[in-house]
Amino acid sequence: MIILAGTPLGNDGDASPRLRNALEAADIIAAEDTRRLLNLAGRLGLEIHAPVIAYHDHNEIQKAPELIAAAQAGKTIVMVSDAGMPSVSDPGYRLAALAAEEGVGLTVIPGPSAVLTALAISGLASDRFAFEGFPSRKSGERRQLFGKLKYDERTLIFFESPRRLAETLADMAAEFGPNRRAAVARELTKTFEEVQRGMIADLAAWAHDCDVKGEISIVVEGYSRSASGDGGVEQQAIDDVHELVELGVRLKDAAGYVAQRHGLRKNKVYQAVVALTVD
């Protein structure tokens, strides 16, 4: 059997009894970082009898078939990432996919998740959300991604390096708008855990002025029509009108067409476009 096991983000007290038992009973332990796993086991007072092998992004393609073969031979393999849940922005996905494909027993020991922890502590809506991982290191590609997500109504969760935090928040402010609510969570569950909440533009200024360190999660409020400041008319509808006008369509005709497509009143769309143009 293959067991994907969640490990503490930073507080050893979050290690579950199932995780402890699985590590001590495993035939093979596949760890993203063998030293970190052995350090964790030492702090937890565990007796590890299984061989611990490195299993990370750079060797996952080669190692996954070997672990599947070991499971087929009757071994129990426990796979852990550095912290949190394997396969969520960490190694483990290929192993799980291959196990499912080969009919190998696969189970999960639930544990801490930086994604869900950041969402819960952000204070933002949690009924619908999407995890977007690490944005690109390049500003242009980040802006393009944020532009595509601008009208997503789900709460969005990102990971980011502290070195790029200020730049990424500035790009978010440019694409999502400066007044979109967000939260920056740092060092979750650890001694110096910190959460900054506010408008994206304010958070970008805070990050620029601070020497932020540690592991970072960013949670961004989803698009809200009522909070868009356009009288209840979606920004996408306004953009569609402008696009048609640029193609030569009369403003009133463009507003009528877009209103019908979006299920809005023509006068409301027209007035929203005119108001923004005047501003």
Side-chain angles (χ1 to χ4, degrees), residues 117-124 156 158 165-166 169 172 180-188 192-213 215-221:
T117 304
L119 175 65
I121 206 169
S122 71
L124 298 174
L156 303 174
F158 303 86
L165 178 61
L169 288 170
M172 286 180 172
R180 183 83 66 95
R181 292 190 303 161
V184 176
R186 185 181 74 85
E187 295 290 85
L188 287 169
F192 298 104
E193 176 180 280
E194 178 184 13
V195 182
Q196 293 287 335
R197 304 177 183 86
M199 303 302 180
I200 294 181
D202 295 333
L203 291 174
W206 163 78
H208 181 271
D209 295 336
C210 296
D211 183 21
V212 182
K213 295 180 180 179
E215 296 183 350
I216 303 293
S217 299
I218 306 172
V219 186
V220 181
E221 179 182 40

Side-chain angles (χ1 to χ4, degrees), residues 122-262:
S122 71
L124 298 174
S126 58
D127 53 339
R128 297 178 64 226
F129 62 91
F131 173 56
E132 293 291 333
F134 283 90
S136 172
R137 297 184 178 191
K138 299 179 180 179
S139 179
E141 294 179 0
R142 282 199 304 265
R143 292 281 296 268
Q144 186 176 27
L145 170 64
F146 299 153
K148 291 179 180 178
L149 295 172
K150 179 176 181 178
Y151 301 110
D152 195 321
E153 296 181 352
R154 298 172 297 179
T155 299
L156 303 174
I157 306 165
F158 303 86
F159 289 163
E160 189 51 288
S161 161
R163 296 188 302 274
R164 293 187 296 273
L165 178 61
E167 296 177 0
T168 293
L169 288 170
D171 287 341
M172 286 180 172
E175 295 298 329
F176 294 144
N179 296 323
R180 183 83 66 95
R181 292 190 303 161
V184 176
R186 185 181 74 85
E187 295 290 85
L188 287 169
T189 77
K190 300 178 183 178
T191 302
F192 298 104
E193 176 180 280
E194 178 184 13
V195 182
Q196 293 287 335
R197 304 177 183 86
M199 303 302 180
I200 294 181
D202 295 333
L203 291 174
W206 163 78
H208 181 271
D209 295 336
C210 296
D211 183 21
V212 182
K213 295 180 180 179
E215 296 183 350
I216 303 293
S217 299
I218 306 172
V219 186
V220 181
E221 179 182 40
Y223 173 77
S224 170
R225 184 187 305 183
S226 61
S228 63
D230 49 30
V233 177
E234 297 178 10
Q235 183 62 44
Q236 183 63 60
I238 294 173
D239 292 344
D240 289 347
V241 171
H242 284 303
E243 185 175 342
L244 290 173
V245 170
E246 290 176 0
L247 293 174
V249 179
R250 291 176 59 234
L251 176 57
K252 288 188 176 181
D253 294 335
Y257 173 78
V258 171
Q260 184 177 16
R261 195 175 72 177
H262 285 263

Side-chain angles (χ1 to χ4, degrees), residues 75-141:
K75 302 293 185 181
T76 297
I77 293 93
V78 177
M79 191 267 142
V80 295
S81 58
D82 283 351
M85 283 301 304
S87 80
V88 182
S89 196
D90 276 329
Y93 160 73
R94 290 184 178 88
L95 184 59
L98 191 56
E101 181 180 326
E102 296 292 333
V104 171
L106 175 67
T107 191
V108 173
I109 297 179
S113 166
V115 176
L116 297 181
T117 304
L119 175 65
I121 206 169
S122 71
L124 298 174
S126 58
D127 53 339
R128 297 178 64 226
F129 62 91
F131 173 56
E132 293 291 333
F134 283 90
S136 172
R137 297 184 178 191
K138 299 179 180 179
S139 179
E141 294 179 0

